[in-house]
Amino acid sequence: EATLDLAERRRIRSAIRELQRQELERDEETLASKRFRPERTSHRQDDKENWPQSRCLEEEQQAALAALSEQLEAITSVEELTKLLRAAGEYEERKLIRAAIRKLRAEEIEGEAQFPCSEVDTLESLR
């Protein structure tokens, strides 16, 4: 329904604003209660029990990443690295591969900067 009375429109808008303010306050209270909720002690105990297992997994991942890093050093093709990037599943693997791609591209740019070859130079050498 549309209303032509401006006073009624103001009352409706102020009522809507009041409802929005109340909703924000409720959301903030909910967030504050969740933020400072104490942890359950049984959950902390579970973490302690799983800690050696998670540490072992972390060490395995670090070893796998070190091996991947060595493998990436041997690759000299951006296309090959891009294929590896698309096939990689883990975030850390993709991170290493992207770093290797950036390094290769920087080396290519640096190599081009060291040996600039302009068309004028090539034309002069042909004469």
Side-chain angles (χ1 to χ4, degrees), residues 2-17:
T3 180
L4 298 176
D5 186 16
L6 295 178
E8 187 178 353
R9 285 184 181 185
R10 275 190 228 115
R11 283 193 303 273
I12 292 171
R13 275 188 253 134
S14 65
I16 290 172
R17 272 189 242 111

Side-chain angles (χ1 to χ4, degrees), residues 13 22 66 105:
R13 275 188 253 134
Q22 289 173 359
R105 287 185 177 153

Side-chain angles (χ1 to χ4, degrees), residues 43-100:
H43 180 67
R44 234 182 279 151
Q45 186 64 32
D46 290 342
D47 287 347
K48 286 181 182 177
E49 291 171 0
N50 293 329
W51 188 70
Q53 182 182 6
S54 66
R55 185 170 179 166
C56 181
L57 287 173
E58 187 177 319
E59 289 172 357
E60 289 175 4
Q61 287 176 341
Q62 291 298 327
L65 289 175
L68 177 64
S69 181
E70 289 176 13
Q71 180 185 358
L72 293 176
E73 289 292 324
I75 298 174
T76 59
S77 167
V78 174
E79 290 80 23
E80 215 173 310
L81 287 172
T82 306
K83 287 178 188 174
L84 276 176
L85 180 63
R86 289 186 180 130
E90 294 295 319
Y91 169 77
E92 293 295 327
E93 290 176 0
R94 293 193 308 269
K95 184 178 168 182
L96 280 175
I97 296 169
R98 283 192 302 269

Side-chain angles (χ1 to χ4, degrees), residues 28-39:
E28 288 173 357
E29 289 171 6
T30 305
L31 219 120
S33 68
K34 287 181 180 178
R35 191 176 297 150
F36 299 109
R37 189 177 297 160
E39 286 187 27

